[in-house]
């Protein structure tokens, strides 16, 4: 890279060099995922330094597991991660369009178009593209809408069993829950080797009973959730060496035993802990026929509390009067241990209705990928319920690109070249889908453009099996509108942020004096010299 020296020893890139190096980094990231898009997309093999492998065509998995050092590439990955958090799908499309926006932006800049004018045109084009995408959206009328299965099938990479599971769970949970802020259908999914595909109203705690002598199953469960260790209050070790300290220790131990007996007398038959317990407490609970589960994750404790209506307490809460503890208890029809899958299921909680989608996998190697596929399908179904659907397969992007071309004539000055960047980016998903299917993308993109103009349709695309122009809606190819609009926003944010970078400056070393000595190798004599 060409650089020039400036006063102070900083290194500053020459004109457009910063844009070129950043754009190349983004294009490299886009090329890593573009081969996975579409029904004929292939998988990517990720290998770490220990030889562990991950085989996937999930865009966000590829991006987040890549070994990346370039700051511009990290910006792309962070934006893709935000897209995944917000919508749960569409990261591959967003990354591909961001790469196309930057490629075209660089081409225009090399021709002499000012970067500020390119950014102006990109903003104009993207704002209208998002508006037009919303206008092309078809509403989804409830969770019984048949096209939801098509959405799940496309996002789930044509795994019919996963599509059926996800749609079944959506109908079980209901539209009201799917529309609720903060609820993610994808969070209800878990995959296990050897499991049967199933959806049930309840939650899973991914732990076993603390003791095999405890009951495997409890009906009409009264559940206590303790966000603490189930053990006596601690006392300073130094105090134990004194007679008074030891006496206090014995008093706390007896008080703890009385509190446990009080809990048992309330009819509590299931206890969930986020930490451990003592041998004495475990023995007492075994004798009382209580099912105890230790070291439950905070996320699973929270879900169990919501589903059963329990109010988690600390161990000091065990000192409360029985009536107050009673109000903290949760209730469920059934709690049992699945010995094959080695987890606890809580069924029929009296709190908020919650469903779990259990995805089976034949071998350990495909468990994670099956879970990723199911999560993508669930996120797409929920997005479709919330925001409707558009024709998939890159068809609607082509229709929007045609409409942006008509708006181009109303743009003044050199900003029109930024609009051209948006038009090319909108064509890119179909281009890559066709290329991955083994057809000539230039020819097929032209065929689709001509067919859409001739028939006035926004749903014409390419059948990846035959290479013919077909109606995507007739083929059952739908994409959630929110996935598309958020992908456009994400691509625009990445492109504008990188286009605005004019200079790359190497920062001076700001390590505090003396800190460098701390990182020297032990035994290095110079490390002991105070400079």
């Amino acid at each position: 890279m060409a650089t020039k020296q400036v006063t102070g020893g900083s290194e500053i890139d020459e004109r457009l060099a910063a844009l070129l190096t950043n754009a190349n980094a983004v294009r490299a990231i886009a090329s890593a995922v573009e081969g996975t898009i579409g029904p004929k997309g292939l998988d990517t093999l990720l290998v770490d330094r220990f030889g562990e492998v991950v085989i996937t065509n999930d865009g966000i998995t590829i991006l987040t597991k890549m070994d990346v050092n370039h700051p511009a590439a990290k910006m792309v990955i962070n934006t893709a991660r935000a897209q995944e958090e917000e919508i749960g799908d569409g990261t591959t499309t967003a990354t591909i369009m961001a790469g196309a926006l930057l490629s075209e932006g660089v081409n225009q800049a090399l021709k002499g178009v000012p970067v500020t004018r390119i950014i102006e045109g990109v903003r104009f084009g993207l704002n209208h593209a998002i508006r037009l995408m919303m206008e092309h959206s078809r509403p989804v009328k409830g969770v019984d809408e048949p096209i939801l299965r098509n959405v799940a099938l496309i996002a789930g990479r044509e795994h019919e069993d996963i599509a059926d599971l996800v749609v079944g769970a959506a109908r079980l949970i209901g539209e009201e829950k799917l529309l609720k802020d903060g609820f993610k259908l994808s969070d209800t999914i878990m995959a296990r080797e050897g499991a049967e595909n199933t959806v049930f109203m309840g939650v899973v705690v991914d732990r076993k009973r603390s003791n095999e002598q405890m009951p495997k199953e409890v009906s009409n469960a009264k559940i206590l959730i303790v966000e603490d260790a189930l053990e006596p209050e601690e006392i300073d070790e130094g105090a134990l060496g004194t007679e008074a300290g030891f006496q206090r220790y014995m008093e706390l131990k007896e008080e703890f035993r009385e509190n446990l007996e009080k809990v048992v007398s309330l009819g509590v038959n299931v206890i969930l802990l986020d930490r451990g317990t003592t041998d004495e407490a475990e023995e007492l609970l075994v004798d009382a026929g209580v099912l105890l589960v230790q070291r439950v994750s905070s996320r699973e404790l929270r879900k169990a509390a919501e589903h059963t209506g329990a109010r988690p307490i600390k161990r000091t809460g065990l000192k409360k009067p029985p009536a107050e503890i009673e109000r903290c208890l949760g209730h469920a029809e059934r709690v049992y241990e699945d010995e094959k899958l080695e987890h606890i299921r809580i069924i029929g909680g009296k709190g908020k209705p919650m469903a779990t989608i259990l995805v089976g996998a034949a071998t350990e190697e495909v468990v994670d990928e099956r879970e990723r596929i199911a999560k993508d399908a669930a996120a797409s179904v929920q997005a479709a319920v919330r925001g409707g659907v558009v024709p998939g397969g890159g068809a609607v992007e082509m229709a929007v690109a045609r409409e942006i071309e008509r708006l181009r004539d109303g743009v003044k000055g050199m900003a029109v070249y930024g609009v051209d960047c948006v038009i090319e980016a909108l064509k890119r998903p179909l281009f890559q889908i066709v290329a991955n299917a083994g057809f000539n993308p230039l020819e097929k993109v032209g065929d689709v453009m001509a067919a859409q103009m001739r028939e006035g349709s926004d749903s014409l695309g390419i059948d990846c099996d035959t290479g013919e122009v077909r109606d995507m809606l007739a083929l059952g190819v739908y994409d959630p509108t929110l996935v598309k609009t958020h992908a456009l926003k994400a691509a625009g944010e990445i492109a504008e942020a990188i286009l605005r970078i004019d200079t790359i400056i190497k920062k001076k070393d700001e390590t505090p004096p003396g800190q460098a000595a701390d990182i020297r190798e032990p035994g290095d004599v110079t490390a002991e010299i105070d400079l």
Side-chain angles (χ1 to χ4, degrees), residues 89-340:
D89 199 12
T91 53
T92 301
T93 300
T95 305
I96 289 173
M97 287 199 292
L101 277 172
L102 276 172
S103 293
E104 290 302 313
V106 168
N107 291 339
Q108 301 296 354
L110 291 174
K111 293 175 184 177
V113 181
V115 172
T116 52
R117 299 282 78 82
I118 296 173
I119 293 173
E120 181 184 336
V122 167
R123 285 180 180 173
F124 175 89
L126 284 174
N127 287 337
H128 283 281
I130 292 168
R131 174 183 60 80
L132 291 167
M133 191 74 72
M134 296 296 292
E135 291 178 3
H136 285 278
S137 180
R138 282 82 165 164
V140 173
K141 300 175 182 177
V143 292
D144 293 322
E145 183 78 57
I147 62 174
L148 283 181
R149 187 179 186 278
N150 297 100
V151 171
L153 199 59
I154 296 300
R157 303 169 214 171
E158 300 184 353
H159 285 72
E160 294 194 9
D161 61 328
I162 289 177
D164 291 336
L165 272 177
V166 168
V167 173
R171 290 170 179 165
L172 195 62
I173 290 171
E175 184 177 2
E176 182 180 353
K177 184 75 171 179
L178 292 174
L179 295 174
K180 185 178 179 181
D181 290 338
F183 174 76
K184 291 184 178 180
L185 182 60
S186 58
D187 287 344
T188 67
I189 290 171
M190 61 185 302
R192 290 292 181 273
E193 179 186 0
E196 296 291 332
N197 289 343
T198 185
V199 180
F200 59 89
M201 289 302 294
V203 296
V204 168
V205 174
D206 201 15
R207 306 292 295 180
K208 298 171 62 177
R209 291 170 294 161
S210 296
N211 191 303
E212 291 187 357
Q213 296 180 37
M214 291 176 174
K216 296 179 183 177
E217 181 174 341
V218 174
S219 299
N220 299 319
K222 294 183 74 173
I223 302 168
L224 175 67
I225 297 179
V226 183
E227 291 181 326
D228 207 340
L230 193 62
E231 57 189 29
E233 291 183 46
E234 297 178 354
I235 190 169
D236 186 75
E237 290 186 8
L240 282 173
T242 66
E243 183 177 347
F246 183 74
Q247 180 65 29
R248 177 58 180 161
Y249 167 74
M250 296 303 295
E251 290 173 359
L252 290 173
K253 195 172 180 180
E254 181 60 28
E255 180 186 47
F256 173 69
R257 182 178 182 85
E258 291 173 357
N259 288 334
L260 272 185
E261 291 173 346
K262 176 173 59 180
V263 166
V264 171
S265 69
L266 290 172
V268 172
N269 47 21
V270 177
I271 299 178
L272 306 180
L273 308 177
D274 79 340
R275 300 186 196 174
T277 188
T278 64
D279 292 340
E280 293 84 353
E282 186 174 311
E283 184 178 353
L284 187 152
L285 295 175
V286 167
D287 293 340
V290 176
L291 194 162
L292 173 68
V293 186
Q294 303 181 57
R295 307 193 187 284
V296 180
S297 71
S298 58
R299 177 172 169 269
E300 290 177 342
L301 278 181
R302 185 171 62 253
K303 290 173 67 175
E306 289 182 9
H307 184 54
T308 63
R311 288 169 49 197
I313 63 173
K314 299 293 184 181
R315 62 177 145 181
T316 53
L318 298 176
K319 298 179 181 180
K320 294 179 179 180
E324 289 189 34
I325 296 177
E326 182 81 41
R327 288 195 291 270
C328 296
L329 300 181
H331 301 268
E333 294 176 5
R334 183 179 174 217
V335 177
Y336 71 97
E337 179 181 282
D338 188 316
E339 293 185 278
K340 178 182 178 182

Side-chain angles (χ1 to χ4, degrees), residues 418-439:
V419 178
D420 290 341
C421 296
V422 176
I423 293 170
E424 290 304 312
L426 286 165
K427 295 177 181 178
R428 189 67 191 184
L430 177 62
F431 183 98
Q432 196 60 52
I433 289 170
V434 170
N436 290 346
F439 300 106

Side-chain angles (χ1 to χ4, degrees), residues 10 30 34 47 63 149 168 198 207 231 236 260 343 363-364 404 439 447 454 462 469 473-474 528:
S10 298
E34 63 186 12
V47 187
L63 293 175
R149 187 179 186 278
T198 185
R207 306 292 295 180
E231 57 189 29
D236 186 75
L260 272 185
H343 65 221
T363 64
E364 183 180 352
I404 296 292
F439 300 106
D447 290 347
R454 184 174 61 251
I462 295 295
V469 175
L473 299 185
E528 300 176 3

Side-chain angles (χ1 to χ4, degrees), residues 1-2 13-24 70 72 498 501-505:
M1 183 191 307
D13 286 24
E14 292 181 344
R15 179 179 175 274
L16 292 184
L19 178 57
L20 287 169
T21 186
N22 288 336
N24 286 336
H70 197 285
I498 292 175
I501 297 172
D502 177 66
T503 305
I504 298 176
I505 301 177

Side-chain angles (χ1 to χ4, degrees), residues 45-57:
L45 175 68
L46 297 154
V47 187
D48 67 13
R49 61 194 180 95
F50 300 109
E52 294 292 327
V53 301
V54 174
I55 301 174
T56 183
N57 73 352

